[in-house]
PDB file of all heavy atoms in Angstrom:
ATOM      1  N   PRO A   1       0.812  -1.243   0.002  1.00  0.00           N
ATOM      2  CA  PRO A   1      -0.022   0.037   0.041  1.00  0.00           C
ATOM      3  C   PRO A   1       0.865   1.214  -0.003  1.00  0.00           C
ATOM      4  O   PRO A   1       0.517   2.206  -0.734  1.00  0.00           O
ATOM      5  CB  PRO A   1      -0.815  -0.108   1.284  1.00  0.00           C
ATOM      6  CG  PRO A   1      -0.872  -1.633   1.530  1.00  0.00           C
ATOM      7  CD  PRO A   1       0.420  -2.109   1.115  1.00  0.00           C
ATOM      8  N   SER A   2       1.958   1.251   0.774  1.00  0.00           N
ATOM      9  CA  SER A   2       2.799   2.471   0.762  1.00  0.00           C
ATOM     10  C   SER A   2       3.412   2.662  -0.550  1.00  0.00           C
ATOM     11  O   SER A   2       3.539   3.861  -0.991  1.00  0.00           O
ATOM     12  CB  SER A   2       3.919   2.231   1.858  1.00  0.00           C
ATOM     13  OG  SER A   2       4.685   1.082   1.591  1.00  0.00           O
ATOM     14  N   GLY A   3       3.777   1.574  -1.277  1.00  0.00           N
ATOM     15  CA  GLY A   3       4.340   1.704  -2.665  1.00  0.00           C
ATOM     16  C   GLY A   3       3.321   2.305  -3.577  1.00  0.00           C
ATOM     17  O   GLY A   3       3.640   3.144  -4.449  1.00  0.00           O
ATOM     18  N   VAL A   4       2.060   1.867  -3.446  1.00  0.00           N
ATOM     19  CA  VAL A   4       0.969   2.406  -4.299  1.00  0.00           C
ATOM     20  C   VAL A   4       0.780   3.888  -4.064  1.00  0.00           C
ATOM     21  O   VAL A   4       0.742   4.666  -4.990  1.00  0.00           O
ATOM     22  CB  VAL A   4      -0.292   1.711  -4.127  1.00  0.00           C
ATOM     23  CG1 VAL A   4      -1.456   2.289  -4.783  1.00  0.00           C
ATOM     24  CG2 VAL A   4      -0.137   0.146  -4.438  1.00  0.00           C
ATOM     25  N   ARG A   5       0.922   4.306  -2.838  1.00  0.00           N
ATOM     26  CA  ARG A   5       0.725   5.737  -2.435  1.00  0.00           C
ATOM     27  C   ARG A   5       1.872   6.507  -3.091  1.00  0.00           C
ATOM     28  O   ARG A   5       1.611   7.677  -3.482  1.00  0.00           O
ATOM     29  CB  ARG A   5       0.658   5.849  -0.862  1.00  0.00           C
ATOM     30  CG  ARG A   5      -0.720   5.457  -0.391  1.00  0.00           C
ATOM     31  CD  ARG A   5      -0.868   6.013   1.045  1.00  0.00           C
ATOM     32  NE  ARG A   5       0.165   5.394   1.942  1.00  0.00           N
ATOM     33  CZ  ARG A   5       0.073   4.428   2.650  1.00  0.00           C
ATOM     34  NH1 ARG A   5      -1.005   3.684   2.649  1.00  0.00           N
ATOM     35  NH2 ARG A   5       1.062   3.954   3.513  1.00  0.00           N
ATOM     36  N   ARG A   6       3.064   6.018  -2.982  1.00  0.00           N
ATOM     37  CA  ARG A   6       4.189   6.713  -3.526  1.00  0.00           C
ATOM     38  C   ARG A   6       4.202   6.913  -5.087  1.00  0.00           C
ATOM     39  O   ARG A   6       4.519   7.870  -5.679  1.00  0.00           O
ATOM     40  CB  ARG A   6       5.539   6.011  -3.139  1.00  0.00           C
ATOM     41  CG  ARG A   6       5.885   6.216  -1.616  1.00  0.00           C
ATOM     42  CD  ARG A   6       7.324   5.857  -1.432  1.00  0.00           C
ATOM     43  NE  ARG A   6       7.619   4.430  -1.817  1.00  0.00           N
ATOM     44  CZ  ARG A   6       7.528   3.400  -0.910  1.00  0.00           C
ATOM     45  NH1 ARG A   6       7.138   3.684   0.259  1.00  0.00           N
ATOM     46  NH2 ARG A   6       7.758   2.246  -1.349  1.00  0.00           N
ATOM     47  N   GLY A   7       3.611   5.738  -5.766  1.00  0.00           N
ATOM     48  CA  GLY A   7       3.589   5.789  -7.261  1.00  0.00           C
ATOM     49  C   GLY A   7       2.394   6.506  -7.803  1.00  0.00           C
ATOM     50  O   GLY A   7       2.425   6.949  -9.026  1.00  0.00           O
ATOM     51  N   LEU A   8       1.354   6.671  -6.973  1.00  0.00           N
ATOM     52  CA  LEU A   8       0.121   7.357  -7.566  1.00  0.00           C
ATOM     53  C   LEU A   8       0.341   8.768  -8.036  1.00  0.00           C
ATOM     54  O   LEU A   8      -0.082   9.165  -9.123  1.00  0.00           O
ATOM     55  CB  LEU A   8      -0.955   7.245  -6.566  1.00  0.00           C
ATOM     56  CG  LEU A   8      -2.389   7.720  -6.947  1.00  0.00           C
ATOM     57  CD1 LEU A   8      -2.868   7.078  -8.171  1.00  0.00           C
ATOM     58  CD2 LEU A   8      -3.292   7.631  -5.803  1.00  0.00           C
ATOM     59  N   PRO A   9       1.036   9.573  -7.232  1.00  0.00           N
ATOM     60  CA  PRO A   9       1.310  10.943  -7.672  1.00  0.00           C
ATOM     61  C   PRO A   9       2.072  10.990  -9.012  1.00  0.00           C
ATOM     62  O   PRO A   9       1.868  11.909  -9.829  1.00  0.00           O
ATOM     63  CB  PRO A   9       2.074  11.643  -6.563  1.00  0.00           C
ATOM     64  CG  PRO A   9       1.769  10.806  -5.278  1.00  0.00           C
ATOM     65  CD  PRO A   9       1.571   9.386  -5.824  1.00  0.00           C
ATOM     66  N   ARG A  10       2.993  10.054  -9.217  1.00  0.00           N
ATOM     67  CA  ARG A  10       3.750   9.987 -10.483  1.00  0.00           C
ATOM     68  C   ARG A  10       2.862   9.764 -11.582  1.00  0.00           C
ATOM     69  O   ARG A  10       2.969  10.410 -12.711  1.00  0.00           O
ATOM     70  CB  ARG A  10       4.880   9.002 -10.260  1.00  0.00           C
ATOM     71  CG  ARG A  10       5.771   8.946 -11.571  1.00  0.00           C
ATOM     72  CD  ARG A  10       6.894   7.846 -11.380  1.00  0.00           C
ATOM     73  NE  ARG A  10       7.657   8.010 -10.152  1.00  0.00           N
ATOM     74  CZ  ARG A  10       8.533   7.125  -9.728  1.00  0.00           C
ATOM     75  NH1 ARG A  10       8.635   6.039 -10.334  1.00  0.00           N
ATOM     76  NH2 ARG A  10       9.164   7.380  -8.630  1.00  0.00           N
ATOM     77  N   VAL A  11       1.965   8.726 -11.466  1.00  0.00           N
ATOM     78  CA  VAL A  11       1.024   8.496 -12.556  1.00  0.00           C
ATOM     79  C   VAL A  11       0.234   9.716 -12.877  1.00  0.00           C
ATOM     80  O   VAL A  11      -0.176   9.921 -14.013  1.00  0.00           O
ATOM     81  CB  VAL A  11       0.215   7.172 -12.093  1.00  0.00           C
ATOM     82  CG1 VAL A  11      -0.888   6.999 -13.187  1.00  0.00           C
ATOM     83  CG2 VAL A  11       1.093   5.961 -11.983  1.00  0.00           C
ATOM     84  N   LEU A  12      -0.305  10.356 -11.770  1.00  0.00           N
ATOM     85  CA  LEU A  12      -1.118  11.465 -11.999  1.00  0.00           C
ATOM     86  C   LEU A  12      -0.425  12.601 -12.735  1.00  0.00           C
ATOM     87  O   LEU A  12      -0.991  13.333 -13.590  1.00  0.00           O
ATOM     88  CB  LEU A  12      -1.664  12.047 -10.737  1.00  0.00           C
ATOM     89  CG  LEU A  12      -2.707  11.050  -9.916  1.00  0.00           C
ATOM     90  CD1 LEU A  12      -3.030  11.668  -8.585  1.00  0.00           C
ATOM     91  CD2 LEU A  12      -3.979  10.841 -10.738  1.00  0.00           C
ATOM     92  N   ARG A  13       0.893  12.715 -12.394  1.00  0.00           N
ATOM     93  CA  ARG A  13       1.643  13.764 -13.117  1.00  0.00           C
ATOM     94  C   ARG A  13       1.771  13.478 -14.613  1.00  0.00           C
ATOM     95  O   ARG A  13       1.676  14.320 -15.440  1.00  0.00           O
ATOM     96  CB  ARG A  13       3.134  14.020 -12.546  1.00  0.00           C
ATOM     97  CG  ARG A  13       3.042  14.617 -11.194  1.00  0.00           C
ATOM     98  CD  ARG A  13       4.506  15.129 -10.808  1.00  0.00           C
ATOM     99  NE  ARG A  13       5.370  13.987 -10.690  1.00  0.00           N
ATOM    100  CZ  ARG A  13       5.673  13.278  -9.613  1.00  0.00           C
ATOM    101  NH1 ARG A  13       4.894  13.620  -8.587  1.00  0.00           N
ATOM    102  NH2 ARG A  13       6.473  12.283  -9.622  1.00  0.00           N
TER     103      ARG A  13
END
Side-chain angles (χ1 to χ4, degrees):
S2 58
V4 173
R5 286 195 299 269
R6 288 194 300 270
L8 184 58
R10 184 182 303 173
V11 173
L12 293 175
R13 284 196 301 272

